[in-house]
Amino acid sequence: MAFRFDRARYDERMRWWLHDRFGMFIHFGLYSIPARGEWVRSTEEMPEEDYLPYFREFDPSALDARDWARRAREAGMRYAVLTAKHHDGFCLFDTATTDFKSTNTPFGRDIVAEFLDAFRAEGLRVGLYYSLIDWHHPDFPQYGDRQAPLRNDPVAGCNDNRVFDRYLDYMHEQVREICTNYGKLDLLWFDFSYDDLRGEAWRGTELMEMVRELQPDVVTNNRIEVSGEGYGSLAACDPKPYHGDFVTPEKIVPPQGIRDVEGRPVAWESCVTMNDNWGYCATDKNYKPAPLLLHKLVECVSKGGNMILNVGPDATGRIPDESCRILAEMGAWMGRNGASVYGCGPAAGGPVDAEAPEVGRLTRNGRTYYFHLYENALGPVPLLGVPKDRIEKIRLLRDGTEVPLSTSWTHSDYPDIAFADLGPSATLPDPVDTVLAVTIKEA
C-alpha cells in the first residue's frame, strides 16, 4: 500500500513539541575520555585498537542523571535528548546486539535507563539520539567513505568482506530495542544521512514503519533523509514514509524561519553547542555567553522554531562548570520570562500587525504579544503596529508590574503609535531581555 501522510496525526503528536520550544542535548560517550570532541576517531583517523582502551577505562564515577535532569529543568528546558549511540558505535544502553556497551565497561550501568528515569521524574519529555553511522561495526563501510576513520587505509579499511545489509539488520534491531525496552519515548533524533547513504539506503521505510508501530506518538527528526543541511521530503510537500517531523539546522538560526515549497511554515529545531564541540573537549573554552543564547532562543521562537542546547559531560560524567553557569543564568531569566517562550511563535497571523522592536524580538501566544527589549528607547517605548484602542493591558513579564501607556508630549508627532511608559530610568529592568506582555482586546 502506498504511503499516505496523515496531517491530523502529525499535528497531534507535534503539539507538545511546538509548545515546549527549549530542550537539552547531551553528548556523552567514550570520546569524553580523550576529550577532543565526539569526532575524535574520524578527525585523527584513529584505528580501532587505539580507541578500545577508552572502552576498558570507561567509568564515569560522578555521573548522576538526576543532577543533569535538575539542571535542565531549572534552566527552563522542557525536553532532553541523550546520545544512546554516536558514530563510534559505543552504546549507552544494554543492547543484546553487541558487547560494545556501557554495561560491559567498568562502569557497568545502563546510562540510557538512568537518563530516562531521572528526566521523567523531573517532568521533562525524553528523547534518544541514535547514529545511523557506526565506525565500530565490521560491516559498516570504511575505505573511501568521506568520514570513516579508516577512509584512507586500503588494507585495514578494505570493504571487500563488509556486508552492508548485515549492518542494517544490526542497526534496525538496536532501534527496535530502544523502542521496546524503555517505555514511551517522546522523541527520536536520528543522525545522519550523506552522499549515497540516505533514505532507502538505510531501509528507511522499513525502519520507520517499525518505529511507528512500537512508538506511534514519537516525534522524529529529518536526518534519515538529510544531514544538518537539507529540509527533507515533508518540506518538499512530498512526504516519504521515513520523513522527519521537523527540520534540524545545525549551529545556525535560519534567517527567516523555514517554509515548505508551498509557503507553509515547517517545524524546525536549531541544534546549538555552548562552545564549539558537541562532545567534551577540554581545550575548547569558546563558550557563548548566556545572554547571547537567550537572544538566540527567543529568535528561534519568533521565527517558529525550537532550540536544543547541548552539554557535553566530561569523563567523570559531570557537566562542565562553564555549562552549569550558563544553564543557571539562562534559568534565572526563563523562570521569570518563560511565558514569552512556551506556547509562543511568530507574531504573524495575530489580531494586530505588531512589529518587532528595532533592538529586540517579538513573540506571540494568542492575544498576547511579547515585546523583547534588548536595549532601552530614548523615552517611552514604541509598540509599532499595536493600535492604542486595541490594548487591554501591558505588564512587565518578569514581575507582573503594570506598564501604562505614555502621555508624554515627546511623541506627540506620532499620534497613531502606542508608547509604553517604563518610567524615568534609562536602564531596563532586565539588561539581558526585558519583556513587555501586551494583551490585545477581544475583537
Side-chain angles (χ1 to χ4, degrees):
M1 182 183 297
F3 173 73
R4 183 174 180 179
F5 176 62
D6 189 330
R7 172 64 67 173
R9 289 194 66 183
Y10 169 80
D11 289 343
E12 182 58 32
R13 71 172 172 266
M14 291 295 289
R15 193 179 308 279
W16 73 264
W17 189 88
L18 291 169
H19 176 275
D20 287 357
R21 291 301 189 195
F22 188 29
M24 174 181 276
F25 224 158
I26 305 173
H27 279 67
F28 184 60
L30 298 184
Y31 44 77
S32 301
I33 299 174
R36 298 190 294 276
E38 74 290 346
W39 276 72
V40 62
R41 269 210 72 194
S42 175
T43 55
E44 299 181 11
E45 299 187 34
M46 187 184 295
E48 182 90 347
E49 59 266 25
D50 290 349
Y51 198 65
L52 286 178
Y54 303 131
F55 172 73
R56 294 189 286 270
E57 179 185 347
F58 186 77
D59 190 14
S61 56
L63 192 157
D64 183 355
R66 295 167 300 180
D67 179 69
W68 293 357
R70 178 181 56 80
R71 292 183 188 277
R73 177 182 55 77
E74 290 178 353
M77 293 155 161
R78 292 291 183 87
Y79 61 97
V81 176
L82 172 69
T83 51
K85 185 196 82 169
H86 206 267
H87 310 330
D88 62 356
F90 178 63
C91 299
L92 299 188
F93 60 103
D94 191 18
T95 172
T97 63
T98 180
D99 293 333
F100 199 50
K101 56 185 178 178
S102 60
T103 51
N104 271 11
T105 66
F107 189 60
R109 285 156 47 186
D110 187 325
I111 297 172
V112 161
E114 294 184 17
F115 160 79
L116 294 172
D117 288 346
F119 278 73
R120 286 169 177 152
E122 289 289 345
L124 278 70
R125 302 267 187 172
V126 290
L128 296 175
Y129 165 111
Y130 183 85
S131 173
L132 302 168
I133 300 165
D134 193 319
W135 299 326
H136 175 76
H137 196 279
D139 287 309
F140 192 85
Q142 289 269 349
Y143 182 64
D145 183 272
R146 182 153 52 91
Q147 52 216 359
L150 305 181
R151 57 189 175 272
N152 294 314
D153 188 333
V155 178
C158 179
N159 296 320
D160 288 351
N161 296 317
R162 301 179 192 272
V163 180
F164 193 58
D165 264 338
R166 275 201 306 247
Y167 170 66
L168 292 180
D169 289 343
Y170 168 88
M171 183 261 282
H172 281 224
E173 182 56 29
Q174 287 196 335
V175 174
R176 178 184 295 277
E177 289 177 323
I178 286 171
C179 290
T180 303
N181 298 339
Y182 293 96
K184 184 179 187 298
L185 300 175
D186 300 296
L187 184 58
L188 275 176
W189 219 101
F190 291 105
D191 199 22
F192 62 92
S193 295
Y194 62 103
D195 299 339
D196 294 332
L197 291 176
R198 59 182 72 241
E200 289 299 2
W202 304 116
R203 302 202 312 240
T205 295
E206 176 190 338
L207 181 64
M208 280 308 302
E209 284 178 349
M210 175 182 67
V211 167
R212 288 279 167 235
E213 177 185 350
L214 298 172
Q215 296 280 344
D217 298 322
V218 73
V219 174
T220 64
N221 70 336
N222 66 336
R223 294 199 179 185
I224 293 177
E225 299 182 284
V226 296
S227 63
E229 69 254 340
Y231 293 163
S233 60
L234 187 59
C237 296
D238 183 25
K240 299 295 188 284
Y242 44 81
H243 73 81
D245 294 329
F246 62 93
V247 176
T248 53
E250 185 167 333
K251 296 186 177 181
I252 189 173
V253 178
Q256 297 177 317
I258 299 177
R259 293 183 175 272
D260 66 23
V261 296
E262 295 178 359
R264 293 171 298 197
V266 170
W268 57 272
E269 174 188 73
S270 186
C271 44
V272 178
T273 52
M274 284 192 179
N275 49 5
D276 292 329
N277 287 269
W278 297 98
Y280 181 65
C281 183
T283 60
D284 181 3
K285 302 299 181 182
N286 190 29
Y287 283 87
K288 302 168 185 68
L292 171 64
L293 291 171
L294 283 167
H295 290 176
K296 294 300 126 184
L297 169 61
V298 170
E299 181 180 352
C300 287
V301 176
S302 75
K303 295 176 177 179
N306 288 20
M307 176 191 279
I308 187 166
L309 183 61
N310 185 70
V311 296
D314 64 22
T316 70
R318 293 181 176 92
I319 296 175
D321 291 343
E322 298 93 336
S323 295
C324 290
R325 286 193 288 270
I326 290 168
L327 290 172
E329 195 172 337
M330 295 183 78
W333 185 88
M334 287 291 291
R336 288 182 173 273
N337 298 284
S340 66
V341 171
Y342 309 129
C344 291
V352 300
D353 295 324
E355 300 177 28
E358 285 188 322
V359 185
R361 293 282 171 184
L362 184 64
T363 59
R364 179 179 65 87
N365 187 347
R367 293 188 294 120
T368 301
Y369 290 78
Y370 297 99
F371 286 77
H372 297 259
L373 307 176
Y374 302 160
E375 181 182 291
N376 209 349
L378 285 176
V381 176
L383 306 176
L384 298 179
V386 183
K388 285 181 279 191
D389 62 356
R390 295 294 306 278
I391 294 175
E392 180 178 298
K393 61 182 179 180
I394 307 173
R395 298 291 183 265
L396 196 61
L397 185 57
R398 70 189 312 271
D399 60 10
T401 295
E402 180 181 26
V403 177
L405 282 171
S406 171
T407 57
S408 171
W409 68 269
T410 58
H411 50 75
S412 58
D413 288 334
Y414 312 100
D416 296 329
I417 297 177
F419 287 79
D421 184 359
L422 288 179
S425 175
T427 303
L428 287 171
D430 190 324
V432 174
D433 178 358
T434 294
V435 185
L436 296 182
V438 179
T439 303
I440 303 302
K441 296 174 183 176
E442 296 272 11

